[in-house]
Structures are given as structure tokens and as C-alpha cells.
Amino acid sequence: MPKVFSALAVSVDGFISGRTPAGEPEFGRGLGDAPMLFDWYFTGDTPSREFDGFKLSAPSARVFDALAARVGASVAGRTTYEHSSGWSGGSPHPTAPLFVVSHRPVPGLGASQTLAAGIEDAVAAAREAAGAKDVALMGGGVVTAALEAGLVDELVLHQVPVLLGGGHRYFRELPRHVRLRLLEIVPADGVTHLHYEVIR
């Protein structure tokens, strides 16, 4: 059965983006000389089979491409959508449609983008669009809401060895514990890939 998962780059202290000095979206960057959370996408010698322009280390390419190949649709929250400049009317995945969760209208949605009022509706629509493939979640708020609703099957943390000290957290406050089972650890240059199954 198709699964719902999240695979995001995250600092060791749990942030998926850094603080911004002047309020501009600066996804993945911390203050001063802190490294980008996404450097590992481009600092290797193995081209991605799924994303043009990505060159990763061999271990990262194996993990990244295996996950990317699973995606049939993506779900993102309003904040992630806006900080990513709406992916210029496209999607975070080159071939998968995007469902944006927002309680307000989102101006300028692209042809491959659909607005959804809540996480349950967004995941249901994304599952239908994905067919036999999986649904990928983007953004801390969306992941937390999906965890609360019992919709998440797997979590992947691409953990980058940096403490950002602030920014947007991967996970928001949850009303209950969520138990995880570690499926795989893959160390690579500049990142460690941690793959968990959500235990229900």
C-alpha cells in the first residue's frame, strides 16, 4: 500500500531552516558562517538520477534517489510554500503534483498545484493523485499535523552536523508521544540519513 512519509534536511538541534537577520526567507541557512542544510545535495561526485543538477556523495545519492523515486505527490504547508517562492508554480518534486495546505486563498497557484483546506483533505487528494506511489510531506507544520492525525508512515531525517540555534523546527509540539522504529542509518559526507518507521 502507498505510504505517507517526510524526508527533510535537519540540523542536529532540530531545525529545517535557519533564522533570518532581516526577515527574508533564507531556507536552510543559519546565522553567520553556519553551513547550508542543503550543501550535501551539490558537493558530491554522483549525479542524481531523479533531480537534474544534484551531485551527491555515492551513499547520499543512493538514499536520495530511492526516496525521490517513490514520490507520486507532495503536500506542503503555506509557510514552506511561501519560503520556497511557490516553487515558481511547480513542485518540490520534478514530476509529482503539489497540494498546498492553507486556510486562506493562495494567489498564483500553478497548473500542478492544488489548494487544500486541511491535512486530511490534502493527504487524501495526494494519495489519489499519487496512484501506486507514495506521498511526501514538506514542512514542519504539515508533518506535525499529519502525525497528530495518524497519517504518517515513515520519517527520514537527513541530519546535518550543525547546531543552528534557532529557525523553523522540523516538529512542532504534539499532544502525545509518537514511537519510532529505526530502519536504517546511512553515514555520508556532510550528512547522516536516519530512516524511521512510525509505530502505530
Side-chain angles (χ1 to χ4, degrees):
M1 173 150 177
K3 295 183 177 180
V4 176
F5 74 95
S6 176
L8 300 178
V10 59
S11 67
V12 172
D13 52 350
F15 295 99
I16 55 175
S17 72
R19 293 174 291 193
T20 56
E24 303 90 357
E26 201 174 342
F27 246 20
R29 189 181 293 279
L31 292 174
D33 296 325
M36 290 286 285
L37 290 178
F38 309 123
D39 283 352
W40 59 277
Y41 289 161
F42 308 106
T43 54
D45 54 10
T46 304
S48 169
R49 298 186 313 272
E50 303 292 330
F51 279 64
D52 289 340
F54 282 34
K55 291 188 76 174
L56 310 99
S57 68
S60 287
R62 178 181 66 80
V63 171
F64 180 83
D65 283 345
L67 291 167
R70 293 172 50 182
V71 178
S74 298
V75 175
R78 178 70 177 258
T79 300
T80 301
Y81 177 85
E82 290 179 348
H83 283 191
S84 302
S85 301
W87 288 282
S88 301
S91 172
H93 190 281
T95 61
L98 173 66
F99 295 82
V100 182
V101 180
S102 178
H103 300 295
R104 296 175 286 120
V106 178
L109 284 176
S112 64
Q113 299 176 340
T114 303
L115 183 63
I119 190 63
E120 291 90 350
D121 291 343
V123 169
R127 279 187 187 276
E128 185 173 344
K133 289 196 168 187
D134 295 336
V135 173
L137 304 174
M138 299 285 295
V142 156
V143 172
T144 302
L147 283 167
E148 281 190 54
L151 297 172
V152 182
D153 299 297
E154 296 174 14
L155 294 168
V156 178
L157 281 65
H158 303 300
Q159 191 178 72
V160 177
V162 62
L163 300 171
L164 290 183
H168 292 279
R169 290 200 171 275
Y170 195 152
F171 305 105
R172 312 289 170 81
E173 185 174 336
L174 287 163
R176 58 182 175 80
H177 290 92
V178 176
R179 295 179 60 227
L180 306 174
R181 177 183 295 113
L182 183 62
L183 300 178
E184 185 180 35
I185 302 174
V186 179
D189 293 341
V191 63
T192 300
H193 307 282
L194 305 169
H195 189 168
Y196 295 94
E197 176 186 20
V198 176
I199 300 173
R200 293 198 180 94

